[in-house]
Structures are given as C-alpha cells and as structure tokens.
Amino acid sequence: MAARHSTDIAAILIEHGITWPTVEAVVDDQIPPFTTSLDAALEGEDISFVVRSAKRVRWGAMQKARCGKEILAWAATEPLARRLAALRAYCVDLDKSGTASVSTPSVALPTRGNPVERPSSDKDWEVLF
C-alpha cells in the first residue's frame, strides 16, 4: 500500500518537472526501509505494546518473558523491534529454564553503544497497541 501510494507521488512530482534527486528524497521518506518478509511474527512472539520515539527516531517493542521479566527492545523499524524483543524474551526464558546444555554458549544480543537520552515530554512518544 505504501509503495503504491509513493509511486503515485513520484509520478505526480515528475510530471510537474521536479528533478529525480528531489523525487527520490520524498519517496525514500515515505517507504519504510524493510521488506514484507519481516512482517511475520516469530513463534512465541507476544508483544505487549509498541512505541515510536520521535526523539530517538526508533521503535520500541515490549514482550514479557514467561518468567515475568519485561523485555524492551529498540530498533530502526517496528517489525525489527518486535522480532528483537521476541528473540530477547526467548533467550531470557531459555537461560531461566536451565534447559540449555552446559556446552551451549549464551547468546549475546547486540546493543547500541551509546545510551540515548529519554524524551523530555509526552509529545515525543506515540504508543501503538
């Protein structure tokens, strides 16, 4: 749907004599940078809520692990944040259950190097259920 809408915008801009670099910049801002294949949920995924931070320019997703721990993950897109939260919750549950064999190394998921400041007002957040 977004791609179809963006194509129409690109055609209109080109018809009105707008140069391709400008059209490309407009279209890049309108089409999410992910593929539809990432839209499928992972097995065991049960996201409680999703939030978008305008200040961070990131999406956050929260899932409770079976042990009760709340897992919040941030990513560039909503589908990636959802998958990351689900994977981290799975890893927490795996560690808590003790079913992982002793020889299996624990999975260290990447985190961003610098912590990002929390937003100073409610205007910076959009919560989606």
Side-chain angles (χ1 to χ4, degrees):
M1 177 85 168
R4 203 175 306 133
H5 182 64
S6 295
T7 303
D8 295 338
I9 290 172
I12 291 169
L13 292 172
I14 290 170
E15 285 176 14
H16 284 89
I18 308 297
T19 63
W20 178 248
T22 303
V23 172
E24 185 178 29
V26 169
V27 172
D28 282 345
D29 286 342
Q30 299 217 353
I31 299 174
F34 59 86
T35 66
T36 55
S37 64
L38 292 175
D39 291 339
L42 295 173
E43 183 178 332
E45 183 174 317
D46 185 21
I47 302 299
S48 300
F49 74 89
V50 175
V51 63
R52 184 181 180 285
S53 170
K55 188 171 186 174
R56 289 181 183 219
V57 191
R58 289 254 179 266
W59 287 86
M62 196 280 287
Q63 176 169 330
K64 271 193 176 182
R66 285 187 311 241
C67 66
K69 182 175 181 180
E70 294 176 347
I71 308 299
L72 178 64
W74 292 95
T77 65
E78 181 184 359
L80 290 175
R82 287 175 173 268
R83 302 307 89 81
L84 184 56
L87 287 170
R88 286 185 175 169
Y90 174 79
C91 288
V92 166
D93 287 334
L94 191 62
D95 286 344
K96 296 282 182 186
S97 71
T99 58
S101 68
V102 177
S103 62
T104 305
S106 63
V107 177
L109 296 171
T111 58
R112 295 191 62 85
N114 299 333
V116 181
E117 294 178 22
R118 294 189 179 256
S120 58
S121 70
D122 290 338
K123 295 178 193 172
D124 293 332
W125 296 91
E126 176 185 353
V127 177
L128 305 174
F129 292 94

